[in-house]
């Protein structure tokens, strides 16, 4: 089992963040801890893409966040039984069907309690397993990132079509470089 040297990793990603705040370090550590405990779940390049997605979707906070505007004006932002299923968490889980399906998969009632997607440990599990298993769009990491090819640009289809795909692919390259240097 390989472990990620946190000192090397943080030295390498610091330029991406500028000044790393305590909350960002806590958030990144939660993903690193999950990866260290579940390395058979995904490859290092796949993990780099997860980190880049969370980096983008949380506005660099690396902590679960609520979608700006809470889905107002969007179909998934409409109230259903007094609740709206707007973006929450590290990957901005949306739509009641996703809350239902993901909740069943992780044994949490996300339909009744959508705010559970903001609990850090739950948010990490949603991001990591969801991107591996294709919970959000049916596309999954292995559709784009394998031992034979790494397509960080089209991997965006796992989460949100091609929105900001090139930008996020650039983040993934930086995370990948850091992970490769820090993987000991």
């Amino acid at each position: 089992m390989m472990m990620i040297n946190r000192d090397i990793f943080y030295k390498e990603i610091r330029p991406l963040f500028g000044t790393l705040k305590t909350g960002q370090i806590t958030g990144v550590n939660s993903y690193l801890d999950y990866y260290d405990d579940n390395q058979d779940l995904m490859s290092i390049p796949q993990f780099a893409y997860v980190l880049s997605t969370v980096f983008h979707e949380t506005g660099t906070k690396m902590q679960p966040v609520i979608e700006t505007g809470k889905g107002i004006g969007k179909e998934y932002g409409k109230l259903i039984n007094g609740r709206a299923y707007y973006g929450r968490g590290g990957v901005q889980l949306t739509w009641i069907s996703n809350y239902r399906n993901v909740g069943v998969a992780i044994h949490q009632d996300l339909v009744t309690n959508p705010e559970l997607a903001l609990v850090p440990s739950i948010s990490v599990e949603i991001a990591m397993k969801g991107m591996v298993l294709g919970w959000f769009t049916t596309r999954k990491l292995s559709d784009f990132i394998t031992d034979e090819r790494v397509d960080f640009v089209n991997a965006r289809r796992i989460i949100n079509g091609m929105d900001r795909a090139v930008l996020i692919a650039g983040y993934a390259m930086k995370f990948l470089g850091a992970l490769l240097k820090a993987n000991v």
Side-chain angles (χ1 to χ4, degrees), residues 70-71 74-80 83-85:
K70 297 183 177 181
K74 298 179 180 172
E75 189 65 30
Y76 62 75
K78 293 181 179 174
L79 291 179
I80 301 172
R83 294 176 187 86
Y85 298 93

Side-chain angles (χ1 to χ4, degrees), residues 31 49-63 90-91 127 131:
Y31 285 90
Y49 195 78
V50 170
L51 291 172
S52 69
T53 297
V54 173
F55 180 80
H56 177 76
E57 294 291 337
T58 65
T60 78
K61 290 179 177 77
M62 301 306 287
Q63 292 281 338
V91 293
M131 292 179 75

Side-chain angles (χ1 to χ4, degrees), residues 8-178:
I8 295 170
F9 179 76
Y10 280 109
K11 179 180 178 242
E12 293 297 318
I13 65 165
R14 190 169 307 282
L16 190 58
F17 288 87
T19 303
L20 271 164
K21 297 178 179 84
T22 302
Q24 290 169 313
I25 293 168
T26 300
V28 171
N29 279 338
S30 64
Y31 285 90
L32 293 172
D33 291 344
Y34 194 93
Y35 179 77
D36 282 344
D37 292 341
N38 298 280
Q39 288 184 19
D40 58 330
L41 184 64
M42 65 183 67
S43 67
I44 293 267
Q46 290 173 339
F47 183 45
Y49 195 78
V50 170
L51 291 172
S52 69
T53 297
V54 173
F55 180 80
H56 177 76
E57 294 291 337
T58 65
T60 78
K61 290 179 177 77
M62 301 306 287
Q63 292 281 338
V65 297
I66 293 172
E67 176 185 355
T68 302
K70 297 183 177 181
I72 293 173
K74 298 179 180 172
E75 189 65 30
Y76 62 75
K78 293 181 179 174
L79 291 179
I80 301 172
N81 296 324
R83 294 176 187 86
Y85 298 93
Y86 51 78
R88 291 180 180 88
V91 293
Q92 299 298 290
L93 186 65
T94 54
W95 300 100
I96 190 172
S97 60
N98 284 336
Y99 277 84
R100 181 179 302 109
N101 295 337
V102 169
V104 168
I106 65 169
H107 310 289
Q108 297 288 335
D109 185 357
L110 298 177
V111 172
T112 303
N113 302 299
E115 64 282 349
L116 287 175
L118 296 168
V119 172
S121 61
I122 293 173
S123 180
V124 169
E125 183 177 15
I126 290 169
M128 299 283 276
K129 286 183 178 175
M131 292 179 75
V132 167
L133 300 172
W135 288 347
F136 314 119
T137 64
T138 73
R139 305 305 300 264
K140 55 189 181 254
L141 284 169
S142 63
D143 292 341
F144 306 101
I145 305 167
T146 65
D147 291 340
E148 291 79 38
R149 74 181 180 120
V150 174
D151 183 355
F152 285 150
V153 173
N154 281 298
R156 183 66 176 151
R157 297 176 193 279
I158 297 165
I159 299 291
N160 197 9
M162 293 300 287
D163 172 60
R164 308 290 225 156
V166 173
L167 177 67
I168 297 163
Y171 300 148
M173 290 300 296
K174 291 175 182 172
F175 278 112
L176 177 59

